[in-house]
Amino acid sequence: MALLLCAVALVIAAIVVLAVVRSEPTRSRAETVPAAAPEDPIAVAPDSLKDSIESILEDNPDYRIGLALADVSGDAALAFGAQEVFAAASTAKIITAAAYYHLVEDGEARMDEPLGDYDAAFQLEAMVNESNNDSWLLLMDAVGHERLTEYAASIGVTYDPEENLLTPAEMALVLKQLYAGDLLNPDNTAQLLGYMQDTNNEELIPAGSQAGIEVFHKYGEIGGELHDAAVLSYRGSTFVLVIYTENSDGAQDPGQADVIRELTKVVEKALFPPVQPGNRAP
């Protein structure tokens, strides 16, 4: 009997100890496991690419230059030079185009909707492929400035059409999501990307690009600003390259276009090696 009582007592004691242990406040996950740090938007560039880009930037001190580079299938982006906002000029037309397509997909707008002397479909192509500013104004009005700002925010971009300011990284994010099919359905994605080829100005990133690389882009120019924002695709690899330049004199200089082409060449050399014989643009 004594042995039985002793055993019962031991069981009760064990239960009490276990209950005490379980009743002690446990540390939260945040206390025991360091919280994940926010993803750094600026990844580490390969030394060869980093050195080449920084050398070009140093050789052109008269220009404020910002470059953003992103792998469409990756997360982080590479950023060089000035990463503050620039006057985005016509590169921002891609945001307006995507916003209007989005309304169409939601049933709130139509491609055959009359806009000016033509319909929305005509104005979209003219805005992107020919960089027509009248078409841009019509489409911005059709979307609505407040709704345009809200749409940009929904895709991770701070954008006010009245100010038209963007960072190179924000523009890169827009193009990355567009090409990946995260913004529009496949048909509208293909159509918009199609408008970004064989445009009325192929003298910037396309002119610096190697033969065989597919380029979808939107250039922009206003005052001393000259920009190009492109998707570059070659043999299954796709990257976004955004180059914004600003001349401190407030007027465009031919050297800005040269810088954009030069940067394009060094970036492509690092992204798409090896260059196939005969595939280098002259």
Side-chain angles (χ1 to χ4, degrees):
M1 185 67 175
L3 289 174
L4 179 60
L5 290 174
C6 182
V8 170
L10 289 173
V11 171
I12 293 173
I15 292 172
V16 169
V17 170
L18 182 60
V20 170
V21 170
R22 287 182 174 176
S23 66
E24 290 181 355
T26 58
R27 291 186 179 182
S28 68
R29 184 177 299 272
E31 292 175 315
T32 57
V33 180
E39 181 185 337
D40 188 345
I42 302 176
V44 178
D47 288 341
S48 58
L49 175 59
K50 181 174 181 290
D51 291 346
S52 295
I53 292 175
E54 290 182 350
S55 176
I56 293 171
L57 299 185
E58 290 172 2
D59 289 343
N60 293 275
D62 292 338
Y63 308 138
R64 186 168 76 102
I65 304 171
L67 184 151
L69 177 64
D71 186 338
V72 168
S73 62
D75 294 326
L78 304 177
F80 301 90
Q83 289 304 306
E84 301 80 15
V85 293
F86 286 74
S90 291
T91 62
K93 289 173 179 175
I94 300 302
I95 297 178
T96 298
Y100 191 85
Y101 277 113
H102 182 69
L103 292 179
V104 171
E105 292 180 7
D106 283 350
E108 298 183 51
R110 305 191 320 272
M111 295 299 284
D112 62 356
E113 184 173 326
L115 284 182
D117 294 333
Y118 304 95
D119 60 14
F122 175 93
Q123 303 295 2
L124 277 165
E125 181 174 3
M127 177 181 70
V128 177
N129 191 258
E130 301 296 325
S131 206
N132 187 292
N133 287 328
D134 291 335
S135 299
W136 190 14
L137 292 173
L138 289 167
L139 286 160
M140 281 197 293
D141 287 344
V143 174
H145 285 199
E146 182 177 351
R147 194 153 49 170
L148 187 53
T149 297
E150 291 171 353
Y151 175 75
S154 75
I155 62 175
V157 174
T158 300
Y159 179 68
D160 180 349
E162 299 291 341
E163 297 182 347
N164 196 33
L165 302 175
L166 289 172
T167 67
E170 286 176 323
M171 191 64 225
L173 178 61
V174 173
L175 292 186
K176 176 180 172 179
Q177 293 179 89
L178 171 64
Y179 190 88
D182 295 335
L183 301 186
L184 307 171
N185 68 35
D187 288 343
N188 289 333
T189 297
Q191 186 174 77
L192 180 51
L193 288 171
Y195 294 158
M196 296 167 66
Q197 291 185 298
D198 300 320
T199 72
N200 66 325
N201 185 344
E202 297 289 286
E203 298 304 312
L204 300 173
I205 287 178
S209 188
Q210 303 172 55
I213 294 177
E214 196 168 18
V215 180
F216 310 87
H217 77 114
K218 184 70 199 80
Y219 74 92
E221 54 183 329
I222 183 172
E225 314 274 340
L226 183 64
H227 314 320
D228 209 355
V231 176
L232 307 172
S233 185
Y234 181 67
R235 295 191 173 183
S237 295
T238 305
F239 293 84
V240 169
L241 173 63
V242 176
I243 306 171
Y244 279 1
T245 73
E246 178 184 38
N247 186 8
S248 59
D249 289 343
Q252 282 181 40
D253 184 285
Q256 289 169 266
D258 293 336
V259 168
I260 291 174
R261 290 189 287 266
E262 187 177 3
L263 286 168
T264 300
K265 289 178 181 179
V266 301
V267 167
E268 287 190 352
K269 183 178 180 180
L271 298 184
F272 304 118
V275 176
Q276 298 301 313
N279 272 11
R280 180 179 294 278

